[in-house]
Amino acid sequence: MTAAATLDRESIAAVDEKGLLEDILALPDHLRDALWRVESSNLEPRGATGGLIVAGMGGSAIGGELARAALGDRALRPIAIARGYGLPPWTAPDSTVLCSSYSGNTEEVLAAFEAAGVVGAQRIVATTGGKLAAAARTDGAPVIPLPGGFQPRAAVGYSLVVALEVAWLCGAGERLHSEIDVAAARTEELVENWQPGGPQEDFPKELARGLHGTVPQIAGSGLTSPIAYRWKTQINENAKMPAFSHELPELDHNEIVGWQAASEIGRFSAVFLDDSDLHPRIRQRIELTRGLITAEAAATFRVESLGGTRIERLLSLVLLGDLVSLYLAVLRGVDPSPVVMIDRLKSALAGG
């Protein structure tokens, strides 16, 4: 563990050169600003009997996953996530395709935008600009403008709210506008508590210290399944560490057996993301699974969501995971913002 183990603001700032912490703590403001940006786009409701497809990659795609989880049984039509160069084969003119790319230059999303145009689906774009915004202007597709200056993964509040609002506009889900506004206030309270200097600041810090030096395995179910994936990707990008995610009950039919050799191979940890609305048998499985792997794990944690509504509880775990991933970066002494490996890959792809 480095000298930054204190995880105070001074130690964090010495590593977090571009101020990613402040972007994470601004999540409540991002939620409110996103609502305003969608409203200001003056989009007209248009029923899409074919449902909603969110086309995106990385931090832009996770908003669709989280939106689907936040809606739960309040989804009225299918909501699918397209991570790749194409769309589901059943995409049709009665589908709505939300093309989400923070930079506006994500090649997979550009391909999906073109594919949606070919089949005649309604297209809505969310971006800061780039080739995607230019293509949307050419084709007359509406654009929800996103603010620049963030790492794409730090704009999760925007991608979540945009997906929820578009789901309502196309008839794929009930409108959660008021609940989002209330959830922003609730998330603001968590920011006050969990930020460095807050009364409960040690909660995310101690979790990060427990995961430091291990390969985290993040488990979720139902509402928390896409959040587990968000934790995994945030640890990958911010802390520059291997991390993996899976969901219950499926992991009890395969991954649990792999823990028998965990301590022989390395230091593995497990985090189980719990929620009050999970099936009682899933909650029982969390305790049983955790107990069975404890002897082989470097550390295990059970973390429960906080809040009343689904979106409040979802946001509580998103915020916590973002903070934990940033603290892991600081403990490792690495700047959380740069993603050198991704940049190298993009450069190689650009070269043909």
Side-chain angles (χ1 to χ4, degrees):
M1 195 171 289
T2 70
T6 53
L7 291 175
D8 56 24
R9 280 195 175 269
E10 183 178 359
S11 300
I12 294 167
V15 176
D16 182 21
E17 296 181 7
K18 296 187 177 179
L20 185 59
L21 173 64
E22 298 310 315
D23 291 339
I24 291 172
L25 298 178
L27 177 59
D29 294 332
H30 295 176
L31 298 169
R32 298 185 183 104
D33 186 44
L35 286 173
W36 176 84
R37 287 174 180 271
V38 177
E39 290 176 357
S40 300
S41 298
N42 296 316
L43 297 174
E44 293 293 330
R46 174 183 163 184
T49 56
L52 171 65
I53 301 162
V54 180
M57 303 298 299
S60 296
I62 194 62
E65 294 274 14
L66 295 173
R68 185 167 58 183
L71 281 165
D73 59 11
R74 295 167 72 181
L76 305 174
R77 289 171 184 154
I79 299 175
I81 315 300
R83 286 185 169 99
Y85 291 92
L87 297 171
W90 44 261
T91 307
D94 63 350
S95 305
T96 291
V97 180
L98 170 61
C99 296
S100 180
S101 167
Y102 185 76
S103 69
N105 295 315
T106 308
E107 64 179 49
E108 298 94 330
V109 181
L110 289 166
F113 178 84
E114 183 177 350
V118 170
V119 300
Q122 179 193 22
R123 294 177 291 179
I124 299 174
V125 165
T127 185
T128 59
K131 296 178 182 177
L132 184 59
R137 285 194 296 270
T138 298
D139 290 1
V143 177
I144 301 170
L146 303 180
F150 297 122
Q151 291 291 325
R153 59 192 182 277
V156 64
Y158 288 95
S159 62
L160 166 61
V161 170
V162 167
L164 283 171
E165 288 287 272
V166 170
W168 166 69
L169 285 164
C170 74
E174 295 181 17
R175 195 176 196 190
L176 301 189
H177 187 286
S178 297
E179 292 179 28
I180 295 168
D181 202 38
V182 173
R186 174 60 176 158
T187 307
E188 207 161 40
E189 294 173 6
L190 293 176
V191 167
E192 288 298 315
N193 286 334
W194 288 346
Q195 69 176 321
Q200 298 175 30
E201 65 170 337
D202 285 343
F203 177 44
K205 290 179 180 179
E206 288 305 315
L207 186 51
R209 291 189 180 101
L211 299 178
H212 182 52
T214 73
V215 178
Q217 317 291 300
I218 317 298
S221 182
L223 176 71
T224 69
S225 185
I227 309 172
Y229 183 74
R230 167 72 177 182
W231 277 51
K232 165 248 190 305
T233 58
Q234 286 294 87
I235 292 171
N236 292 156
E237 292 193 63
N238 290 341
K240 285 58 173 165
M241 288 169 47
F244 303 91
S245 66
H246 206 341
E247 60 182 351
L248 285 160
E250 176 64 20
L251 72 80
D252 278 343
H253 294 263
N254 37 66
E255 183 178 290
I256 190 173
V257 183
W259 280 93
Q260 290 180 209
S263 63
E264 299 174 23
I265 298 170
R267 287 172 50 81
F268 293 84
S269 60
V271 178
F272 296 89
L273 301 182
D274 197 0
D275 178 68
S276 59
D277 199 36
L278 292 183
H279 191 287
R281 294 289 282 180
I282 296 294
R283 305 194 82 188
Q284 183 182 18
R285 281 176 178 272
I286 288 176
E287 275 309 298
L288 291 173
T289 305
R290 185 182 177 190
L292 286 168
I293 70 172
T294 294
E296 293 291 325
T300 67
F301 301 90
R302 180 175 186 161
V303 182
E304 187 158 356
S305 61
L306 301 173
T309 64
R310 287 178 69 89
I311 193 162
E312 286 179 11
R313 302 197 306 273
L314 178 147
L315 287 167
S316 74
L317 289 179
V318 169
L319 174 64
L320 179 60
D322 286 5
L323 285 170
V324 168
S325 68
L326 181 129
Y327 292 152
L328 280 168
V330 176
L331 291 171
R332 294 196 61 240
V334 297
D335 186 344
S337 290
V339 282
V340 175
M341 297 296 281
I342 294 177
D343 292 338
R344 288 177 181 172
L345 178 61
K346 287 182 177 179
S347 295
L349 287 169

